[in-house]
């Protein structure tokens, strides 16, 4: 099924193989025609498995890929009501609502959905200079070419969850500031995440942005996680 998807010469011919094709049609038009982005190419198959979440069942294939050196390349196939398997195109391409250069140029204060590779950073600047208040997270584009620094309150639910995913101990409440939590993952962990980002009003930099939401510690989203 993946071979059939990859063999389709245009994005319109790929649509029948894509999960939630009606939603993805405009995304794919923007991705291929407007942005001129290209398809990630799989190399060796590294692993395979089945993801079950309630009534949802997803076949997951993980590949090595020159375009996904850090994150790996994942093909997630959802089973439809008719029993067919279809590719989660958004997770496959690491689709973001805006191209990274456009997002940084526009500095929108409206939240933008972004798929990224997250890791700890010690960069605190501009509106986010208070390191005692903010958790700083370096966010890289799926291909590793672009980056931005995202910030969220260290003691917020989003801050605690992100800290766990990238191996940063944080205090869970103000009263516990001297008792940091133990992160789930080791220090230095790079984690794939889906987040929403928004720039401060009259942002001083194109590199410092609010993390308004952590949607998932993966690029595949189930219904209800939007």
């Amino acid at each position: 099924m993946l071979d059939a998807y990859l063999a389709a010469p245009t994005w319109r011919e790929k649509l029948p193989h894509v999960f939630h094709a009606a939603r993805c049609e405009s995304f794919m038009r923007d991705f291929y025609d407007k942005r001129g982005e290209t398809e990630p190419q799989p190399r060796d198959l590294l692993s395979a498995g089945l993801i079950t979440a309630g009534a949802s069942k997803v076949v997951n294939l993980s590949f090595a890929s020159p375009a996904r050196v850090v994150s790996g390349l994942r093909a997630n196939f959802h089973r439809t009501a008719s029993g067919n398997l279809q590719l989660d195109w958004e997770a496959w391409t690491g689709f973001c609502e805006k191209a990274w250069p456009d997002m940084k140029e526009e500095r929108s204060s409206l939240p933008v959905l972004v798929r990224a590779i997250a890791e700890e950073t010690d960069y605190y600047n501009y509106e986010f200079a208070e390191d005692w208040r903010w958790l700083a997270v370096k966010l890289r584009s799926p291909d590793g070419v672009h980056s931005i620094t995202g910030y969220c309150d260290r003691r917020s639910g989003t801050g605690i969850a992100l800290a766990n995913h990238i191996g940063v101990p944080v205090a869970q409440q103000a009263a516990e500031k001297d008792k940091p939590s133990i992160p789930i993952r080791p220090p230095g962990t790079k984690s794939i995440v889906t987040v929403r980002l928004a720039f401060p009003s009259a942002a001083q930099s194109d590199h410092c942005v609010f993390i308004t939401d952590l949607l998932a510690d993966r690029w595949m989203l189930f219904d209800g996680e939007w």
Side-chain angles (χ1 to χ4, degrees), residues 74-216:
R74 294 165 179 81
N76 297 294
F77 288 91
H78 298 256
R79 186 172 296 282
T80 67
S82 61
N84 296 326
L85 291 175
Q86 292 181 318
L87 177 68
D88 191 314
W89 177 86
E90 294 153 278
W92 170 256
T93 58
F95 179 75
C96 303
E97 286 183 338
K98 291 183 180 291
W100 284 67
D102 294 343
M103 176 177 64
K104 297 181 72 172
E105 181 179 355
E106 294 172 12
R107 304 189 193 184
S108 173
S109 59
L110 297 176
V112 175
L113 187 147
V114 171
R115 291 174 170 87
I117 305 158
E119 61 184 305
E120 182 182 8
T121 181
D122 60 359
Y123 183 75
Y124 293 90
N125 208 342
Y126 302 106
E127 296 94 339
F128 304 98
E130 300 165 319
D131 59 353
W132 57 267
R133 176 181 179 185
W134 303 107
L135 173 71
V137 183
K138 182 176 181 180
L139 299 167
R140 286 195 287 171
S141 59
D143 59 10
V145 174
H146 307 284
S147 68
I148 199 167
T149 306
Y151 300 87
C152 56
D153 191 298
R154 285 182 176 272
R155 295 179 179 87
S156 67
T158 297
I160 292 168
L162 266 171
N164 271 317
H165 292 314
I166 61 176
V168 178
V170 293
Q172 297 193 23
Q173 298 178 15
E176 298 174 343
K177 62 183 179 180
D178 296 324
K179 298 179 181 179
S181 63
I182 299 173
I184 296 171
R185 297 178 180 175
T189 294
K190 296 178 176 64
S191 178
I192 61 172
V193 295
T194 303
V195 293
R196 286 196 179 97
L197 305 179
F199 281 90
S201 299
Q204 300 174 43
S205 165
D206 69 352
H207 193 73
C208 297
V209 65
F210 285 112
I211 301 173
T212 63
D213 297 282
L214 170 64
L215 301 179

